[in-house]
Amino acid sequence: MTGGYPLLVADLIGVAVFAASGASAGVAKRLDLFGVAFVGFAAALGGGILRDLVIGAPPPLAFADWRYAVTAVVASIAAFWLHPALHRVRRTVLVLDAAGLGLFTVTGTLKALEAGVPPVGACLVGMLTAIGGGVTRDLLTREIPVVLQKDIYAVVALGGAVLVTVLHGLGQTGVIPFATAAVVMTAVRLIALYRRWSAPVAVP
Amino acid sequence: MTGGYPLLVADLIGVAVFAASGASAGVAKRLDLFGVAFVGFAAALGGGILRDLVIGAPPPLAFADWRYAVTAVVASIAAFWLHPALHRVRRTVLVLDAAGLGLFTVTGTLKALEAGVPPVGACLVGMLTAIGGGVTRDLLTREIPVVLQKDIYAVVALGGAVLVTVLHGLGQTGVIPFATAAVVMTAVRLIALYRRWSAPVAVP
Amino acid sequence: MTGGYPLLVADLIGVAVFAASGASAGVAKRLDLFGVAFVGFAAALGGGILRDLVIGAPPPLAFADWRYAVTAVVASIAAFWLHPALHRVRRTVLVLDAAGLGLFTVTGTLKALEAGVPPVGACLVGMLTAIGGGVTRDLLTREIPVVLQKDIYAVVALGGAVLVTVLHGLGQTGVIPFATAAVVMTAVRLIALYRRWSAPVAVP
């Protein structure tokens, strides 16, 4: 998947949105400007760092390409100053977050497959790429990761990663099928939000 | 140590037991089915993932061999449905957990030594292989890791790792001496549980 | 930067001081002797382990050179027994901690640059080397990392990492310029402590 410039731009939009989610969590915990930027960086790039360590591709992209770190930090600082306004654009943020979920799963799964990780492992790596940042954000702000508690979020990532792995196994290499997979995941995530779908909790 | 099939089966039993411990912790925190499976996966395979990253063997076994991930997830889902019954087999779980402690320490220490990690580092890697999953489980469920607070658990792992390193240094390569080391660790752990041995806490 | 023996001694002093800070946090949380040693080890060596994983240099120094692990564990056990006395030498500990901050940033940044990490990434790696241990200590003891909440600590590390990267880019290779950078960072950190400088917190 040689998406080139459009893929980079899409990736950086995902980074910015995930950074804003981390920065907002940091503001809510009364962190200082550095702490807010740090949690934003971790939320945006933690999943990708984990991915690159697991597939054996050091240094992770977050350290190898300055545009990722700078985007995460700028978005975090913007969220620090603009956080009351973020609430007003809450719907937009949720849509962009769903798009980030789809995109990060697709790129994470493909990178794992291309690094030689077998199919089941590649699906897990793809899912971790999408949810790893949010888990890191919640650990740093002393919360049980929200993705483990409710909502259909990680399951969308896992299903999407399976779809990407199947497409890859069928020999697909173009942008269209994988972009479609990302769009499908985004749509499923938004429907799940709208319909308030959630996974079962054990009977006590 | 080319234990082959018997070693794989023993390893997967350890994975299943550690996954059940993680899943039980997830159920207790009211996580949803995905969260329970995720914490079970992390408890079962977190130590081995850390081990493989530290010794420079990507991708970690948890991603390279699908049988590990599938075993962890199936055991977690079973624990999700059967968790009231788990309490009734509590003694069996503790024995299997002690066996997992012994086994994971032996395989972790040997992998580190064979990857060229020097003796002191290999002992630490062996211990981290055994306790890393439990520490990850506790961090994800917002607990101070229980292994840091009381009980003789990690110290058994560390002592066992030293024993394995000495055996390896003496040129042992067969299954018997290392299997014996695992059995000794399991026994010491069970005696420590039964006698309620614990490490000292500082005077306030 | 081939500092040789003097650099090793300075590095181990930094390890000992960071280990004592971790051990003190463990004692305050009523951890047992093993837990105190583990948190001390993580506080002293967590930043360096993260650094070596990110730059692709396994096994991390903490596992490759026994002197690091032994120093961290001995310092932690000393803090376990002597912790009431630690409070009386609080000023000395703060000065040594500031020196550790400067030193770890310099060595972390240089190692990243020499491993081929580009400048922006190397600055981040240098900062993470200095603050990673403290963040790990706080996560293990269930605190929001103090470095994210207040004080000028990580920002000193980041500024120092930029300075080291500029010096390296200018072709400096001797000990003097980098030692000077470490001293400047130590001084800035102490002035920040004395003057109670802190980063801004968002308006609620």
Side-chain angles (χ1 to χ4, degrees), chain A residues 23-177:
Chain A
S24 299
V27 166
K29 292 282 178 174
R30 312 280 303 139
L31 304 187
D32 66 18
L33 178 57
F34 173 79
V36 167
F38 188 89
V39 178
F41 178 89
L45 300 169
I49 292 170
L50 184 60
R51 174 199 65 207
D52 291 344
L53 294 180
V54 163
I55 68 175
L61 200 54
F63 301 97
D65 183 336
W66 62 269
R67 291 171 293 195
Y68 285 79
V70 167
T71 301
V73 169
V74 168
S76 299
I77 293 174
F80 180 85
W81 295 116
L82 304 174
H83 68 97
L86 274 183
H87 189 71
R88 262 176 281 145
V89 293
R90 194 172 150 275
R91 277 160 183 274
T92 310
V93 169
L94 283 174
V95 172
L96 287 171
D97 180 83
L101 173 70
L103 184 71
F104 282 25
T105 303
V106 170
T107 56
T109 309
L110 285 176
K111 281 193 187 185
L113 288 167
E114 279 159 19
V117 179
V120 171
C123 290
L124 294 171
V125 170
M127 183 192 72
L128 287 174
T129 306
I131 73 168
V135 169
T136 311
R137 172 199 67 205
D138 293 346
L139 291 180
L140 287 172
T141 53
R142 210 174 49 177
E143 296 291 338
I144 293 182
V146 66
V147 75
L148 305 181
Q149 295 188 76
K150 54 179 185 178
D151 269 7
I152 297 292
Y153 190 92
V155 172
V156 176
L158 190 55
V162 172
L163 177 58
V164 168
T165 301
V166 170
L167 288 171
H168 187 268
L170 294 173
Q172 298 290 339
T173 53
V175 171
I176 305 289

Side-chain angles (χ1 to χ4, degrees), chain B:
Chain B
M1 187 180 180
T2 52
Y5 195 70
L7 179 59
L8 175 69
V9 171
D11 224 12
L12 293 182
I13 291 173
V15 165
V17 173
F18 280 27
S21 89
S24 299
V27 167
K29 291 282 177 174
R30 312 281 302 140
L31 303 187
D32 66 17
L33 179 55
F34 174 79
V36 167
F38 189 89
V39 177
F41 178 90
L45 300 169
I49 292 171
L50 184 59
R51 173 199 66 207
D52 291 344
L53 294 180
V54 162
I55 69 175
L61 200 54
F63 301 97
D65 184 336
W66 62 270
R67 291 171 294 196
Y68 284 80
V70 167
T71 300
V73 169
V74 168
S76 299
I77 293 174
F80 181 85
W81 295 115
L82 304 173
H83 68 98
L86 272 184
H87 188 70
R88 261 174 284 145
V89 292
R90 193 172 149 275
R91 277 160 183 272
T92 310
V93 170
L94 284 174
V95 172
L96 287 172
D97 180 83
L101 173 70
L103 184 71
F104 281 26
T105 303
V106 170
T107 55
T109 308
L110 285 176
K111 282 194 187 183
L113 288 167
E114 280 158 19
V117 179
V120 171
C123 290
L124 294 171
V125 170
M127 183 193 72
L128 287 174
T129 306
I131 73 169
V135 169
T136 311
R137 172 199 67 205
D138 294 345
L139 292 180
L140 287 172
T141 54
R142 210 174 48 176
E143 296 292 338
I144 293 182
V146 66
V147 75
L148 305 181
Q149 294 187 76
K150 54 180 185 175
D151 269 7
I152 298 291
Y153 190 93
V155 172
V156 176
L158 190 55
V162 171
L163 177 58
V164 169
T165 301
V166 169
L167 289 171
H168 187 269
L170 294 173
Q172 298 290 337
T173 53
V175 171
I176 305 290
F178 296 111
T180 306
V183 170
V184 168
M185 290 168 64
T186 305
V188 172
R189 165 64 184 151
L190 290 174
I191 294 168
L193 259 184
Y194 184 73
R195 297 270 180 113
R196 297 174 193 274
W197 286 344
S198 64
V201 172
V203 186

Side-chain angles (χ1 to χ4, degrees), chain C residues 104-190:
Chain C
F104 282 25
T105 302
V106 170
T107 56
T109 309
L110 285 176
K111 281 193 187 183
L113 288 167
E114 279 160 17
V117 179
V120 171
C123 290
L124 294 171
V125 170
M127 184 193 73
L128 287 174
T129 305
I131 72 169
V135 169
T136 311
R137 172 199 67 206
D138 293 347
L139 292 180
L140 287 172
T141 54
R142 210 175 48 178
E143 297 291 338
I144 294 182
V146 66
V147 76
L148 305 181
Q149 294 188 74
K150 53 179 187 178
D151 269 8
I152 298 292
Y153 190 92
V155 172
V156 175
L158 190 55
V162 171
L163 177 58
V164 168
T165 301
V166 169
L167 289 171
H168 188 267
L170 293 174
Q172 297 290 338
T173 53
V175 171
I176 305 289
F178 297 109
T180 307
V183 170
V184 167
M185 291 170 63
T186 305
V188 172
R189 166 63 184 152
L190 290 174

